[in-house]
Amino acid sequence: MSTKFLFIESMNILSTIPQYHTLLEIFVILWLIWFISKRYFSRDRTLTEDEIERKLAEWNPEPLINNPQMNHISLNPRCITSRAGKRIVVDGKDCLNLGTHNYLGLTENNEIEKDAIAAIRKYGVGSCGPRGFYGTVDVHLELEERLADYTDTEEAVVYSYGFSTIASAIAAYCKRRDLIFVDEQANFAIQKGLDATKANIIYFKHNDVNDLSNLLMKQAKIDEQNLKKAAKIKRFLIVEGIYMNTGNICPLPELVALCRQYKLRIFIDESISFGTLGKHGKGITEHFDVPKCEIDMIMGSLDWAMGSIGGFCVGTSFIIEHQRLSGLGYCFSASLPPLLTTAAITSLNIMKNNPQLFRSLRDNCIAINEGLQKIHCLECSSFPESPVKHVYLKNKKDRTTEEKLLSKISDKCIENNLAVITPAYLEAEKNIPRPSLRLCVSTLLNKSDIDFAVNVLKNCAEEILSV
Ligand SMILES: *[C@@H]1O[C@H](CO)[C@@H](O)[C@H](O)[C@H]1NC(C)=O
């Protein structure tokens, strides 16, 4: 009786459901049967020889590498057969060196060499262990303490590789859904750090405070519509002290004011500005007299001014300590070899005891800049006190033509005993900068070296551009 009742009841329900619903169910069931049987039957079927041949012929895989840059300079680099000091032997030609970032001339310093040799005798050559696993040698602790002391910060963390310092440090703090404001000309290490964060990246025009300010205002309007969501997003500003790709200096005081107003944390890549700007070479904060407490983190390089290898980050212990657990380049690379750590410590000693180095570097940067302004077929808009200068063709042409002409000028310079760089960029880079020649200024240059460099560049450029 109850079954019969149930049956009638369900029939009643069925009859009240619209027809299309039933049709849809039937369709889904049929599709499922078809799908399962297809999988079942196709599993056991073996292909005939012909079918295999045909499938192979049809298979057209995506190439592993898309249009490789066959004529990229990295595939055919110039060969150096000497020290890279004030002079450098490039492809057999003895040149005045304006190509490497030896700003303070420390790569050939006797004192550093002596200490590095003593370190090899004591510790050997490599380290063969990450910092957490027998890779922390006493000299690492000493260098970190000395860096914190030199930069007037609480703590420093040292990495064995400059590029990975920047890329690791950014990714240690910025996470998915955070908001990062970045200068559009930020270098490739910063770009790779940003990629690893998966955060929302907002680029502002190079060194343009107004553009950044507009973007921040726009974001503030968006935030007003959902205050709860906005409160959960961390915001960052990432800039370079001096930009590797342009030689321009960042307008730090204005940026810091915006950071305060909009509650942004600011990270500065001081790979170039540390050891070059400021009365004591302490970098961009010293140059603008901005208190260190306004900056959340400073990232620097041991590669350039300090004439060693590696990188570092400085800031408060609360912030920096975090990288010992989450800075990937810190945790998972063998530590900086003790000999290079020792070289960096001695470099810091020299920097501390010889503040006149920074004065003579600044004078040389300005002198080169003045010389460059007198070459009419070229232009240089880099910051006059920057040790990195980009020189562009005065008359704009298309990218390939500019690249070709500049590379001819650079070849001609080498023939005439002057080494300069034609920067090359990877296709993966964002906002690839305009082709240029890059000059690195050093304290080692005297007045006649500078005159020589400017004259050679002028003559070579005029010769190449006149044909
Ligand atoms: C400048 O340095 C060069 C070596 O690069 C040297 O031959 C020359 O005498 C120096 N000139 C002055 C004025 O010191």
Side-chain angles (χ1 to χ4, degrees), residues 86 446 448-449:
K86 176 170 177 175
N446 63 28
S448 50
D449 297 321

Side-chain angles (χ1 to χ4, degrees), residues 70-90:
M70 295 310 288
N71 49 8
H72 196 280
I73 197 162
S74 296
L75 294 177
N76 196 7
R78 301 186 195 283
C79 182
I80 305 305
T81 47
S82 68
R83 289 170 172 241
K86 176 170 177 175
R87 301 201 70 83
I88 189 167
V89 179
V90 183

Side-chain angles (χ1 to χ4, degrees), residues 86 364 442-451:
K86 176 170 177 175
N364 282 355
S442 165
T443 46
L444 298 175
L445 305 175
N446 63 28
K447 170 123 188 12
S448 50
D449 297 321
I450 292 174
D451 289 344

Side-chain angles (χ1 to χ4, degrees), residues 372-383:
L372 291 173
Q373 303 305 327
K374 293 191 193 122
I375 306 178
H376 296 296
C377 53
L378 302 175
E379 64 186 356
C380 171
S381 53
S382 299
F383 178 58

Side-chain angles (χ1 to χ4, degrees), residues 96 98 364 367-368 370-371 374-375 418 445-459:
L96 181 68
L98 267 67
N364 282 355
I368 291 254
E370 280 168 3
K374 293 191 193 122
I375 306 178
L418 175 70
L445 305 175
N446 63 28
K447 170 123 188 12
S448 50
D449 297 321
I450 292 174
D451 289 344
F452 170 81
V454 171
N455 275 329
V456 170
L457 184 59
K458 179 170 186 280
N459 294 338

